[in-house]
């Protein structure tokens, strides 16, 4: 299967899940999670019709960016972001999906303001309460939202999560449901400066469950590019 064929098949399945959950196929943003795939393959995914490209590692992203890999589509940062790398990401990425602390919000806001721009971000939630995993715990989310709402140079566009892999025991969709509930609750609270547009969750093995639970952004790697060889 070529990358374009994989994307065509994914789009069909995404469309079914979207309609099943009362949305239109085009309401779902398909992000190609491109880590470890060279610029030519990222180009293939863009030509194949993904909506955006996501990268995990700053250095790898900058190299591919320099090769023009992302031209024509939004670039998302989806990996763990260290404060000392913020300046290399702000203004290069259209959306930073993995923001999980006041320190990061402050650094991103400072850098964006210095560049005279507003950086769109998602707040990453550690919905499975996993130790050593990125993301804010849900009980700290309101505080982080309030902080982000007051930070110049920042615009929060929604939430992101990477729920734990729990096998096929039916548990994983519950995390997606919990995320959707958080997303709806925050929307209802109407924070100043915060517009909840995106709920980013679901990967190659879970995007159908995620969409059916209310995700409108999925990050898909191996189902587009094939298995990664570390
Ligand atoms: C790699 C990655 C994905 C995609 O994973 P696949 O299982 O290959 O679809 C999604 N989100 C993040 C944050 C990733 O690092």
């Amino acid at each position: 299967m070529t990358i374009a064929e994989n994307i065509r098949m994914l789009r069909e399945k995404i469309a079914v899940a979207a309609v099943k959950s009362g949305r239109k196929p085009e309401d779902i943003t398909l992000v190609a999670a491109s880590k470890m795939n060279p610029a030519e393959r990222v180009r293939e995914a863009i030509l194949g019709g993904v909506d955006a490209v996501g990268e995990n590692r700053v250095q790898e992203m900058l190299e591919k960016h320099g090769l023009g890999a992302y031209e024509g589509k939004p670039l998302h940062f989806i990996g763990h972001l260290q404060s000392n790398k913020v300046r290399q990401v702000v203004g290069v990425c259209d959306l930073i999906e993995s923001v999980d602390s006041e320190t990061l919000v402050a650094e991103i806001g400072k850098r964006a303001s210095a560049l005279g721009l507003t950086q769109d971000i998602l707040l990453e939630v550690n919905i499975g309460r996993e130790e050593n995993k990125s993301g804010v715990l849900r009980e700290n989310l309101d505080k982080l939202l309030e902080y982000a709402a007051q930070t110049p140079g920042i615009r929060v566009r929604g939430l992101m999560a990477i729920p734990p892999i729990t096998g096929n025991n039916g548990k994983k969709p519950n995390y997606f449901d919990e995320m959707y509930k958080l997303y709806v609750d925050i929307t209802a609270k109407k924070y100043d400066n915060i517009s909840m547009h995106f709920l980013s969750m679901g990967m190659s093995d879970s995007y159908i469950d995620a969409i059916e639970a209310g995700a409108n952004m999925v990050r898909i790697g191996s189902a587009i590019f094939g298995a990664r060889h570390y």
Side-chain angles (χ1 to χ4, degrees), residues 33 35 56 78 160 162 203-204 219-223 228:
K35 56 178 173 279
N56 289 68
I78 62 176
M160 184 269 233
I162 310 170
M203 319 204 305
S204 293
R219 307 175 309 268
I220 300 189
S222 47
R228 287 180 295 276

Side-chain angles (χ1 to χ4, degrees), residues 99-127:
V99 180
D100 64 357
S101 70
E102 291 187 6
T103 311
L104 261 185
V105 167
E107 284 296 320
I108 293 167
K110 202 166 78 184
R111 178 66 178 159
S113 298
L115 295 172
L117 52 84
T118 302
Q119 178 68 58
D120 283 344
I121 66 168
L122 305 183
L123 297 181
E124 180 178 351
V125 182
N126 182 354
I127 193 71

Side-chain angles (χ1 to χ4, degrees), residues 48 63 81 99 151 199 211:
E63 283 166 19
L81 182 58
V99 180
T151 304
L199 178 56
I211 292 169

Side-chain angles (χ1 to χ4, degrees), residues 3-229:
I3 287 172
E5 284 166 347
N6 287 339
I7 292 169
R8 206 173 316 123
M9 252 183 48
L10 272 170
R11 285 290 193 192
E12 283 172 19
K13 292 185 184 165
I14 288 171
V16 171
V19 169
K20 193 168 163 191
S21 55
R23 270 97 40 89
K24 299 193 204 79
E26 61 267 30
D27 292 340
I28 313 297
T29 300
L30 171 56
V31 182
S34 303
K35 56 178 173 279
M36 304 186 69
N37 283 282
E40 314 85 80
R41 290 172 67 76
V42 175
R43 291 309 301 162
E44 270 185 74
I46 286 176
L47 294 173
V50 299
D51 298 306
V53 178
E55 290 289 357
N56 289 68
R57 296 177 187 88
V58 174
Q59 192 53 40
E60 181 182 339
M61 179 190 83
L62 292 175
E63 283 166 19
K64 289 191 244 175
H65 188 261
L67 296 169
Y70 313 117
E71 271 164 32
K73 289 293 171 187
L75 174 59
H76 295 188
F77 193 79
I78 62 176
H80 178 65
L81 182 58
Q82 291 163 289
S83 294
N84 63 355
K85 301 256 171 87
V86 160
R87 55 179 299 117
Q88 296 168 282
V89 172
V90 172
V92 176
C93 291
D94 299 278
L95 182 67
I96 304 175
E97 295 200 23
S98 43
V99 180
D100 64 357
S101 70
E102 291 187 6
T103 311
L104 261 185
V105 167
E107 284 296 320
I108 293 167
K110 202 166 78 184
R111 178 66 178 159
S113 298
L115 295 172
L117 52 84
T118 302
Q119 178 68 58
D120 283 344
I121 66 168
L122 305 183
L123 297 181
E124 180 178 351
V125 182
N126 182 354
I127 193 71
R129 314 187 71 81
E130 293 173 281
E131 273 178 56
N132 308 319
K133 195 97 175 260
S134 305
V136 62
L137 293 175
R138 83 182 73 178
E139 60 270 27
N140 300 328
L141 179 59
D142 278 325
K143 189 160 168 278
L144 185 57
L145 273 164
E146 277 160 27
Y147 184 82
Q150 297 169 9
T151 304
I154 291 275
R155 181 166 53 200
V156 178
R157 305 298 312 277
L159 303 179
M160 184 269 233
I162 310 170
I165 295 156
T166 51
N168 293 323
N169 60 3
K171 267 272 186 330
K172 198 165 186 182
N174 288 344
Y175 288 125
F176 293 143
D177 289 343
E178 287 171 27
M179 280 301 301
Y180 184 68
K181 192 166 174 302
L182 277 179
Y183 175 75
V184 168
D185 286 349
I186 292 162
T187 309
K189 281 185 192 159
K190 296 197 196 313
Y191 287 94
D192 287 342
N193 295 324
I194 291 189
S195 58
M196 284 280 134
H197 276 97
F198 298 116
L199 178 56
S200 174
M201 56 184 192
M203 319 204 305
S204 293
D205 62 349
S206 61
Y207 67 95
I208 293 175
D209 287 337
I211 292 169
E212 288 183 5
N216 57 17
M217 184 175 277
V218 291
R219 307 175 309 268
I220 300 189
S222 47
I224 292 177
F225 297 106
R228 287 180 295 276
H229 303 286

